[in-house]
Amino acid sequence: MKKICLIFLVICILACKSNSAQKTETISATHSATHSADDGSSLHSTEQENSQASPHNDNTGSNTSPEKKTGNSAGTGGSGDSNGNSGGDSGTGTNTEIITETQSAVVHSDLVRIKERSDYRTYINGKYSGLTYREAETYLQQKKLSSGTAFSGKAFVVQDTRRNLVSQAKRLDEAVDISYIKKRDGSEVFSIDPGFPLLRSFFDTLALDYETIPIGSWWETASKVSVLPLKESKPIILPVLIRYEYAGLASYLENPVYKVVGKYALRYNGEPEFTAISGTRDIEVYLDRNTKNIVFVREKTLEQFTYKDGKTVKNDGTLLHFYEYRGFDKTLITTTDNSIVGIHMPDTANNGSDGSENQGGGTGGGAHTVDFSNSDTYTVENTDLGLQLRLQNLRFVADQAILLPGEEQKLDEIASILERFSGKMFFVEGHTAATGRPNDEKLLSEQRAQHIVAELVKRNLPAQNFLYSGAGATKPIADNATDSDKAKNRRVEITILD
């Protein structure tokens, strides 16, 4: 009996040693992979994956580290209904601990943010027709070229906002693409021109040495402006000649600025829709004293447009232009299959183009890291406008903008993520599958986007930080031939605008 016990004890000891050896081997392999990446051996693969993830940004630096991820990221979803219901469950998955190798890459952004507000009293055929209030928020990425600087991005246009609604979420009338090159001589060549930004070729003509210019000095320069007589009008690009005068030092948002005043006229230039265009604008320009970048422009305008059918439109009011320049690096943390599982954001409290404080209504926040790795509610993609959260597991009542019971926890999770991006604007866009009813699809997708915004606002996110719109079935990410593909197209996307 004693011999049997001794044999059993020896077997147990050998088994324990074997398990210990296996564990040690696994940990050693993990550390070996990490050390290899730190030495730069995986740099070439990281650069290739990063260039695919963000083709318009310069990516530098890479490293790998083991990341512990809990839960199963794969879930199964239902196909939803035929009229845009997101359908799908969030997935059950196990709580098995998974060691996932991750890598990081620094993505640099040079961003120009322009907010333009026009506030007019409008008269049609001599009779007052009401206030025209338009707001456009433009985000442009800059990229240096041998021939100049390329700008590309998007303008978010709101036509129906009123002053008493500025603290509410804003429904977009349109989101339009912009692309142009500013050549070295200051001229701008647009490949995609939706009429924004409104002021053209202004920057270089005002980059003067104001420390040596006497107050009262004046000069003239040619520029261009984009004008829109009515809400539904197409933009008209007019050449103008501006007479500037240096007005001395001033203060803007408690920062020292140079103040320049000016005046220019609007004149008919052969636009086929009109027989006459006339008017004047008085302009005030504020330039950062360190960078000479324009930070704020105020225009007072009185202008009239005469159409070929005899109709006249007169606008009397103001235009405000706010400019913000931000150069910053953000570090994307991805898995080896290029899925984004985290991001490290820099301290954006002082991230102007020269390190100075943001101008023109910008907000900032301290450096922080946001973890996306433990969620089945959304996937993350890096876009030129910023990170995009794609919500495909939210379930709605069929053909309605009402979430099914039990979905609140998912919105709690989304709200907790968005809270980490204090001061950012959020663009919420709804999408449906194609059902052959485009008007209904667009309306339903917009209503669902609006409902998501309302739910997030209930969770203490600022309403004024949201823009929302519905794209209907116009932006599919999969074919609509199968129920599975239709389910992919039913989604809500939230872009955290850089």
Side-chain angles (χ1 to χ4, degrees), residues 332-353:
L332 298 179
I333 304 168
T334 64
T335 60
T336 53
D337 66 356
N338 218 31
S339 299
I340 298 175
V341 294
I343 182 172
H344 180 74
M345 296 295 294
D347 185 344
T348 56
N350 293 289
N351 62 355
S353 57

Side-chain angles (χ1 to χ4, degrees), residues 373-388:
S373 63
N374 293 322
S375 176
D376 296 330
T377 302
Y378 58 85
T379 57
V380 184
E381 181 181 349
N382 187 45
T383 73
D384 285 345
L385 291 172
L387 287 182
Q388 183 181 91

